[in-house]
Amino acid sequence: MNTESHPSPDEGSTEQDATEQDRIRAETVRRLERSMGTIGTAAVARMEERLGWFRRMSAEDRSWIGLVAQSGVAAFVDWFRNPVRGRPAITVEVFGTAPRELTRSVSLQQTVDMIRVVIDVVEVQVEELAAPGGAQQLREAVLRYTREVAFSSAKVYARAAEARGAWDARLEALIVDALLHGDREEGLQTWGSALGWSHTPVIAVAGDAGEEGTKVLDDIRAAARRLGHDVLAGRQGRRVVVVVGVGDRYAADDLPVAAAEPLSGLFGPGPVVVGPAVPDLRAAGASARAAVNGLRAAVAWPDAPRPVLADDLLPERALRGDTDARRQLVEEVYVPLQGAGSPLLDTLSVYLEHASSLEATARMLFVHPNTVRYRLSRIAELTGRIPSDGRGSFVLRVAVALGRLAEHGED
């Protein structure tokens, strides 16, 4: 009995079909290799014709995109030659040819538009590029490959965005740290430009991070940008320091509090302190240091508004040892009073010592109460602090004491 096995007619037909498909594929690959340069050139020409954003790009960026298109075609041919390799390594083979900075010049939507143009160019030539009987095989391969390109494009942009976000956060923290320590001020404008900083004047805001420190930073950044501000934010333990470029949308007198108020509710519990407005990022260190020193001293004024100006916390800051606050109090309060003559200083001292009583002050100075009233109004005009106001009298008392100490070399 003959036991020799023979392939069935179906098996023989399958092998012949596979061999024929391999032959067709090999011939299609040869045709594609001969046409790679033409396809790439045609794709760039079609982009020039159909994509306005491509025409407006610099010559360097257009050349990089042309290289990406050429690399995409070459990678497709290589993958089509060896379909058993599975999914193509598109991220490296295609996008690896272009500099990472290209993701800033070309958006994800523009990349999708570019892919569509290349697909159109190839599909139009499928009948010419494919070997006889291989048009459907090539068309299906193109569709699969372009789908992989689309997925890889999304990955490239997602990774670029993630890396850019991480880099921006590190650079923001570095700038905030430099501002607080007063070093590297010559590089601040350059660093700010790297983050797209353009608005002036600038204020700094300091507050508590609360239990969700990272979320607080993200929320403050998002809110500030929605308001049209430039923003830098850094976290130091539980403390958050935010530097805001607010432009000229606010009146100069209202600027610090008006700009900080919409952001103050995003900080954690406790005081939120706003530094003075400064002309640019280079000078923002003074505002940041004032805000942080004010935050440290704010515990001494439990009823302070939120947000509160760092300048409104000058006496608390001075008592805590802030030399800038002591100097500012002396210059803004004591020096003008001293320059106006001894009657104003004497009247203020007596008025404060006698519980803000007009009659008692007048008796001690041997003047009419109206004279005391006039002198107190002059004090308010010169210093911006009202002696009869509880907070104002406290500021004036501390300032006069610091001024006298400074006069005797005890500053």
Side-chain angles (χ1 to χ4, degrees), residues 6 30 37 98 109 134 142 150 190 208 214 230-231 236 290 292 297 336 339 355 372 398 410:
H6 296 281
R30 284 192 289 273
Q109 181 58 52
V142 168
T190 302
D208 193 270
T214 302
D230 289 331
V231 59
Q236 300 171 329
V292 169
V372 176
V398 173
E410 299 296 335

Side-chain angles (χ1 to χ4, degrees), residues 27-353:
E27 176 59 26
T28 300
V29 168
R30 284 192 289 273
R31 293 186 177 206
L32 288 170
E33 288 175 336
R34 289 195 297 268
S35 303
M36 279 195 301
T38 304
I39 295 172
T41 302
V44 172
R46 186 70 63 86
M47 281 188 274
E48 216 31 273
E49 174 188 334
R50 290 174 52 180
L51 304 178
W53 59 265
F54 181 77
R55 292 192 298 272
R56 292 189 294 271
M57 295 184 75
S58 66
E60 182 181 11
D61 283 343
R62 286 202 305 273
S63 68
W64 278 117
I65 289 177
L67 183 59
V68 169
Q70 295 278 8
S71 299
V73 173
F76 167 72
V77 173
D78 184 59
W79 171 75
F80 185 72
R81 180 189 294 111
N82 303 290
V84 294
R85 283 167 38 182
R87 298 181 65 179
I90 293 171
T91 301
V92 175
E93 295 178 357
V94 179
F95 295 102
T97 61
R100 185 175 300 175
E101 289 78 7
L102 192 63
T103 58
R104 300 183 192 176
S105 302
V106 182
S107 68
L108 180 57
Q109 181 58 52
Q110 289 170 339
T111 303
V112 172
D113 293 339
M114 181 176 68
I115 293 169
R116 286 174 178 162
V117 169
V118 176
I119 294 170
D120 290 345
V121 168
V122 175
E123 285 187 330
V124 166
Q125 302 181 51
V126 162
E127 297 294 340
E128 301 172 13
L129 294 171
Q136 184 62 27
Q137 182 188 61
L138 179 58
R139 189 172 286 109
E140 290 175 356
V142 168
L143 290 175
R144 180 183 171 191
Y145 189 78
T146 51
R147 181 189 65 185
E148 296 294 341
V149 169
F151 282 128
S152 293
S153 299
K155 286 183 179 179
V156 167
Y157 278 85
R159 289 172 184 167
E162 183 178 359
R164 173 70 181 179
W167 165 249
D168 285 357
R170 287 194 295 272
L171 184 55
E172 285 186 31
L174 177 64
I175 293 174
V176 170
D177 186 68
L179 289 172
L180 290 175
H181 291 88
D183 57 358
R184 301 181 182 177
E185 291 190 358
E186 70 281 355
L188 290 176
Q189 293 295 120
T190 302
W191 293 344
S193 297
L195 294 169
W197 189 280
S198 61
H199 290 102
T200 57
V202 178
I203 63 168
V205 188
D208 193 270
E211 299 299 325
E212 300 179 326
T214 302
K215 186 177 184 301
V216 167
L217 286 178
D218 293 340
D219 289 347
I220 290 173
R221 287 190 187 103
R225 286 166 183 154
R226 281 197 301 271
L227 291 167
H229 303 322
D230 289 331
V231 59
L232 304 171
R235 183 182 175 190
Q236 300 171 329
R238 288 185 60 89
R239 184 172 64 219
V240 171
V241 181
V242 181
V243 181
V244 182
V246 297
D248 56 0
R249 60 183 295 177
Y250 300 103
D253 293 342
D254 299 333
L255 189 154
V257 170
E261 211 157 24
L263 307 177
S264 61
L266 301 174
F267 286 84
V272 174
V273 182
V274 188
V278 293
D280 54 34
L281 188 60
R282 186 187 297 272
S287 184
R289 289 189 290 273
V292 169
N293 287 334
L295 184 64
R296 290 170 176 156
V299 65
W301 187 14
D303 296 327
R306 177 185 160 115
V308 59
L309 291 173
D311 283 359
D312 288 343
L313 286 160
L314 285 174
E316 287 81 7
R317 290 166 52 193
L319 291 172
R320 198 181 181 279
D322 183 346
T323 56
D324 289 336
R326 299 181 70 173
R327 189 177 304 112
Q328 189 174 341
L329 276 174
V330 172
E331 291 174 355
E332 292 182 0
V333 176
Y334 188 77
V335 171
L337 291 177
Q338 188 183 45
S342 59
L344 291 188
L345 266 177
D346 292 342
T347 299
L348 177 60
S349 298
V350 173
Y351 181 76
L352 295 176
E353 290 298 328

